[in-house]
Amino acid sequence: MSGARALRRGAATLLAGHGGGQILGLLRNLAVARLIAPEDFGVAAAMAALLSLLEAASDMAWDKLLIQARDGDDPALMATIHALNLMRGAALAVLLVAASNPLAALFGVAEAAGAFAWLALVPLLRGAVHMDLKRAQRGLAFGPEAKATLASHLAGLVVAVWLAWALGDYRAMLWGLVAQSAALALASRALAERPYRFGLSATRLRQVFAFGWPLLLSGLVVVASAQGDRLLIGAGLGMRDLAIFAAAAMLIGAPGLLTTRIAGALGLPWLSAVQDRAGAFAARCRMFGAAMSIAAILIFTPLALLGSDATALIFGAAYAPPPMLAGWLAAGLAMRFLRGWPVTVSLARGDAKNVLIANALRLTGLAAAAAVLAGGGGVVEVAAVVAAAEALALIAAFRRMGRTGVSAALALPTCCALTLAAALIWLHVAGPEATLAAKLTATFILTLVGGAVAALAAPDLSQRLLRQRAATEADAAADGAADGAADGAADGAARSS
């Protein structure tokens, strides 16, 4: 199969797996939000944010090492990663149990202390996931992980909705997360090609920690900025404000999160395959960046303008956010989405420090959010300062990407920034009085103009894709001809002997 065909097939598989999982997760959140009170949904959002905080803070991205490393197929490497994942899950479980009472007191929900303790089952189960599904992606085989993702999200949906109807409180989300994690662990074992093994190799330990320590430090700042705003809002403003903020962030972030996962899963092996060929690597990096920039405009401009209406329509009037909240959330998430371009390029060259450097700047948004809340600000001001920090992190990531020898091509992210700025200005001027028809019209115009300008900034994208496909197919044909000649020579030698 040619490289272009493999990429298309991989993209379709990822879209089916992660896209289906994203839809099932959104349906779970929507159903639970409709069946329980906003205050209870705020508790559920606090638990989810806390879980993300702990897992990201201890994540050394060993799954990416299995894809990126030249010796990623070595069973000893996978066995070491399995052992480390088990130890990590156990450590997080102990921490959650020990901190359950203080955490419940922090959010003013002392009655939820038991739920915070039972949350420890989630990292424990996720630590037992078989990593062979990640190793398979070295050859752009995404089917096993897609199936496991769908199965786990379906289990989480069924359990959460059933318990939300039966119990009517935040425990529905807790046990939905537990069911999802258990299903993922079981599905990963069932779909793996290799048996599950764990062990510790001194050589492999040095390798995984050399690759992962920058990403571990990055995880601390990633989650502090990605989930810290929710924890600050929950502690400072209460569960209702957190529920409104979380509902808008879930809806607006879902398309970007899905696209980021697909782009990263496809982009890392695609770029890593030519990491030692400067010309081919630079060409693929430019195509990757152009596609992500155009996608950012097409995804986040409509979300900035219509996100508030969509949140109120889908989650209910009790979760209706102010118009500018959706705009600032979309702007910040767009900057985070675009950062996937320089970060993936750097990871393909084995530079994990770009993630750390860029995410360290995101902490400025968390500090600013704390100051805003202390000064009497609300969720809109928090989203605005976090978006500004995301922009700083994007600039830093592009500067670091320059070390790989790839041009930053800043014209494309500039197009995205200008389009989103226009959307924010329009929202500010029109205000809450703007009708849905006016928002739809503004969405159409800004998306069309922004997408067209971004496409003009990358005029050779389609031509490069076609040339890449032709070159790949030509290489495959040449390899086939060489194999045929070698076979013919071998047959001739056999006959002569």
Side-chain angles (χ1 to χ4, degrees), residues 1-4 270 284 467-477 479:
M1 182 185 297
S2 70
W270 189 55
R284 289 190 178 189
R467 285 199 297 271
Q468 180 68 32
R469 177 180 180 182
T472 304
E473 292 178 349
D475 290 342
D479 291 342

Side-chain angles (χ1 to χ4, degrees), residues 51 55 119 121-129 152-153 155-156 174-188:
L51 186 63
E55 291 196 326
L119 194 63
L121 289 173
V122 176
L124 200 60
L125 289 166
R126 291 181 182 176
V129 169
S152 64
H153 277 89
L174 163 66
W175 294 110
L177 291 172
V178 172
Q180 179 179 331
S181 302
L184 181 60
L186 292 172
S188 69

Side-chain angles (χ1 to χ4, degrees), residues 350-454:
D351 177 18
K353 293 181 181 178
N354 195 348
V355 183
L356 172 60
I357 294 171
N359 283 315
L361 287 172
R362 295 174 67 190
L363 287 178
T364 60
L366 187 61
V372 162
L373 291 171
V379 291
V380 173
E381 290 77 14
V382 168
V385 296
V386 168
E390 293 283 4
L392 289 176
L394 177 63
I395 294 170
F398 273 117
R399 288 179 61 86
R400 179 78 184 187
M401 186 181 78
R403 296 193 176 192
T404 65
V406 178
S407 169
L410 289 174
L412 290 166
T414 299
C415 293
C416 301
L418 291 175
T419 304
L420 286 165
L424 289 171
I425 292 171
W426 189 92
L427 275 174
H428 183 75
V429 172
E433 294 80 15
T435 64
L436 180 59
K439 291 180 181 180
L440 288 170
T441 302
T443 299
F444 175 76
I445 294 173
L446 286 174
T447 304
L448 181 64
V449 173
V453 172

